[in-house]
Amino acid sequence: MKCTCIDLNQFSRFIKDMKALLVDKVYVVNVLGYCAYNFVLGAYSYWGPKAGYKIYNMSDADLIFGGITIVCGILGTLAGGYVLDLMKSTIPNAFKLLSVTTFFGAIFCFTAFCFQNMYAFLAFFSVGELLVFAIQGPVNYICLHCVNPSLRPLSMAISTVSIHIFGDVPSSPLVGVLQDAINNWRETSLILTSILFPAAGIWFTGIFLHSVDRFNEDSEGQVTEVDRSNATPLLEPRVAETSLIC
């Protein structure tokens, strides 16, 4: 009975925390944009080499796309966090950086697939990937700073689960269905890349939302009844043991 009561209390607390996240407009907008962004990146990672081989006859498409992803991923992630620090780290500034880098990254990636020359494609696609990967720092900054300190672990967990369930997991099979329908890898790649524009638009709307940075809020003293019921006095066993010895 006691275990059942504790489980019900924990479940009700989880539901309460989930409700707090879902009613937070800043958090929801941030995750929605992240899902659209990850939809494109997931399909790039799966279909990118094959598209490059079919469109530009790349002999080492796997190595080329893998190298671009590694280099641009590292440099873009570091650059995104550094630029956000230079801009003064705030939630509105993070949304500005998200929308701008995603928008211009989408332009470069979209333009890259329009070129007939492989080297022009690689140059523009690399710049686009560099810009697109710059979102990693700002998007996680918002997830951590827009919620109460006690909700930070759940905030990151729900964000990660959401971008996979609604992003890279369905994107690969859906792009495969699209390619089977139109049978043109260039058009398929252009349609996929265009989804980055709505992602930039979603993050752009976040600039105008009322946001409060809760990162430095004090979370001490927030002990629930569940925590109290699970707490076992550390001195109790020793006191009993001492009395037996006496």
Side-chain angles (χ1 to χ4, degrees), residues 82-221:
Y82 180 73
V83 172
L84 182 60
D85 287 338
L86 291 180
M87 294 173 62
K88 187 179 180 182
S89 300
T90 62
I91 293 176
N93 282 346
F95 274 123
K96 291 175 185 177
L97 188 58
L98 287 173
S99 58
V100 170
T101 55
T102 305
F103 179 76
F104 284 101
I107 291 177
F108 274 93
C109 290
F110 190 90
T111 305
F113 283 105
C114 296
F115 284 111
Q116 299 293 334
N117 183 273
M118 183 183 70
Y119 297 104
F121 163 78
L122 292 176
F124 271 73
F125 189 74
S126 298
V127 175
E129 288 278 278
L130 188 67
L131 290 169
V132 165
F133 276 110
I135 68 102
Q136 299 298 329
V139 77
N140 289 305
Y141 175 91
I142 296 173
C143 282
L144 292 172
H145 283 251
C146 72
V147 299
N148 291 324
S150 61
L151 293 178
R152 288 176 198 160
L154 184 62
S155 168
M156 295 301 299
I158 296 301
S159 172
T160 302
V161 171
S162 298
I163 64 173
H164 292 310
I165 293 179
F166 303 108
D168 53 14
V169 170
S171 66
S172 297
L174 289 176
V175 170
V177 171
L178 177 63
Q179 169 59 22
D180 289 341
I182 63 178
N183 195 28
N184 188 313
W185 276 108
R186 190 184 300 276
E187 292 182 9
T188 300
S189 301
L190 290 173
I191 293 172
L192 174 64
T193 304
S194 64
I195 298 176
L196 287 174
F197 292 106
I202 293 171
W203 278 326
F204 181 74
T205 61
I207 300 173
F208 307 100
L209 295 176
H210 175 69
S211 58
V212 178
D213 193 328
R214 297 184 172 91
F215 189 79
N216 294 321
E217 287 186 2
D218 188 7
S219 61
E220 294 180 2

Side-chain angles (χ1 to χ4, degrees), residues 39-86:
F39 187 94
V40 178
L41 268 291
Y44 273 173
S45 64
Y46 190 85
W47 293 114
K50 187 168 186 178
Y53 175 77
K54 292 292 184 179
I55 299 172
Y56 298 103
N57 294 320
M58 294 182 184
S59 56
D60 297 321
D62 291 329
L63 293 176
I64 293 173
F65 272 85
I68 291 175
T69 301
I70 292 172
V71 175
C72 294
I74 295 173
L75 296 179
T77 301
L78 294 175
Y82 180 73
V83 172
L84 182 60
D85 287 338
L86 291 180

